[in-house]
Amino acid sequence: MNEDVFNRSLRGFLKKVGITSQREIEKAVRDAVASGRLKGSEKLPAKMVLTLGGVSFTHEISGEIDLG
């Protein structure tokens, strides 16, 4: 395995996940506030599940997003 190629590829994937996830979360929250489903001061539970094929790997991260 080429460690440099692996590292660059992994970092690129994680950057894509981070940017895309943030954009989609922001859109969903703004739409919910605009439609009145959220007030804009809630704390929302969040969970991200990452799976990696070929090695039977699953990793789950749970947290909270505070809308203030």
Side-chain angles (χ1 to χ4, degrees):
M1 177 171 73
N2 184 316
E3 291 291 335
D4 290 333
V5 171
F6 173 55
N7 189 275
R8 279 193 304 270
S9 180
L10 179 55
R11 287 180 181 271
F13 174 74
L14 292 174
K15 183 176 180 180
K16 182 177 180 179
V17 168
I19 292 168
T20 304
S21 298
Q22 181 173 351
R23 185 179 305 130
E24 293 300 317
I25 290 168
E26 288 173 347
K27 181 182 182 314
V29 168
R30 287 190 179 110
D31 290 348
V33 170
S35 71
R37 289 179 287 141
L38 292 175
K39 293 178 184 176
S41 57
E42 295 87 348
K43 291 183 179 182
L44 306 175
K47 178 172 69 170
M48 177 71 73
V49 179
L50 173 68
T51 58
L52 183 61
V55 293
S56 300
F57 174 81
T58 301
H59 182 70
E60 184 175 306
I61 300 170
S62 296
E64 191 173 72
I65 298 173
D66 188 349
L67 304 184

